Amino acid sequence: MTTQPFEIDRIDRKILMALQTDASLSQRALAETVGLSQNACWRRLQRLQSEGVLRGERAEVDLARLGLDLVVIVMIKTPHHSKDWAIAFKDHVSRIPGVVDLYRIGGEWDYLVKVVTQGIRGYDRFYQQLVDGFDLSVVTGHFVMEEMIAARPVQLV
């Protein structure tokens, strides 16, 4: 995956905004939405996919309806900052059930983990697995009371 910016035009922006809002749109509906023929829209989609701008499709699942009713933002400080340690930590965290996001961040904290789990016992299971075998200076969980804005489409300028 490249980090080089990819130039898009007004039509590409319309396509990407429409798909961020509803990725289940048929090609025909998407083409109508952005004002293209179905073939022209398909070619643009293929280009955006091949360039790595579009990466897959996802369904939005109401996790609370499935009993996964606790979201925790976990902030972590560690005395270790080598690339090898970070890779090992990423591998470790990726194997823990309930982890949906992991970020290495700048500032006062080193890592941010978003966890979705079933209640406080589920969080405790996550916590026990997280600290097992890793030297972490500080781990603190911030319990989400209300999801106010989530998965919001990014405005493409």
Side-chain angles (χ1 to χ4, degrees), residues 4 48 53 67 71 98 101 109 113 130-132 143 147 150 152 157:
Q4 290 285 64
L48 290 168
V53 175
V71 177
D101 293 309
W109 296 91
V113 183
L130 176 70
V131 300
D132 187 30
F143 301 94
E147 184 178 84
R152 183 179 181 184
V157 288

Side-chain angles (χ1 to χ4, degrees), residues 67-82:
L68 298 168
D69 58 348
L70 182 63
V71 177
V72 186
I73 306 300
V74 182
M75 306 299 293
I76 300 168
K77 289 183 188 180
T78 179
H80 305 281
H81 301 283
S82 73

Side-chain angles (χ1 to χ4, degrees), residues 4-156:
Q4 290 285 64
F6 181 73
E7 293 292 322
I8 60 174
D9 63 15
R10 181 181 59 80
I11 300 294
D12 289 337
R13 280 184 190 79
K14 285 173 121 178
I15 290 171
L16 294 171
M17 287 300 299
L19 290 175
Q20 283 185 94
T21 303
D22 184 0
S24 70
L25 286 172
S26 68
Q27 275 189 21
R28 175 175 291 161
L30 180 60
E32 289 173 7
T33 299
V34 302
L36 289 177
S37 71
Q38 197 169 342
N39 285 340
C41 186
W42 181 85
R43 284 191 299 274
R44 283 184 179 256
L45 283 171
Q46 293 302 304
R47 183 176 53 87
L48 290 168
Q49 289 171 343
S50 69
E51 291 293 337
V53 175
L54 278 175
R55 300 181 306 175
E57 268 182 52
R58 293 183 157 204
E60 189 173 334
V61 177
D62 185 341
L63 297 173
R65 295 262 311 164
L66 300 175
L68 298 168
D69 58 348
L70 182 63
V71 177
V72 186
I73 306 300
V74 182
M75 306 299 293
I76 300 168
K77 289 183 188 180
T78 179
H80 305 281
H81 301 283
S82 73
K83 185 176 183 176
D84 289 342
W85 192 92
I87 291 168
F89 184 65
K90 174 186 170 190
D91 291 345
H92 171 68
V93 172
S94 70
R95 289 189 296 273
I96 302 173
V99 172
V100 295
D101 293 309
L102 169 64
Y103 300 96
R104 186 173 62 86
I105 58 176
E108 184 178 346
W109 296 91
D110 299 314
Y111 295 91
L112 181 152
V113 183
K114 181 178 176 185
V115 179
V116 179
T117 190
Q118 191 170 29
I120 198 68
R121 286 196 173 123
Y123 175 68
D124 186 50
R125 280 189 299 276
F126 159 80
Y127 178 85
Q128 296 302 324
Q129 289 177 298
L130 176 70
V131 300
D132 187 30
F134 275 86
D135 183 18
L136 305 175
S137 302
V138 180
V139 177
T140 187
H142 300 274
F143 301 94
V144 173
M145 303 295 288
E146 176 184 5
E147 184 178 84
M148 297 176 79
I149 298 174
R152 183 179 181 184
V154 175
Q155 191 64 35
L156 304 171

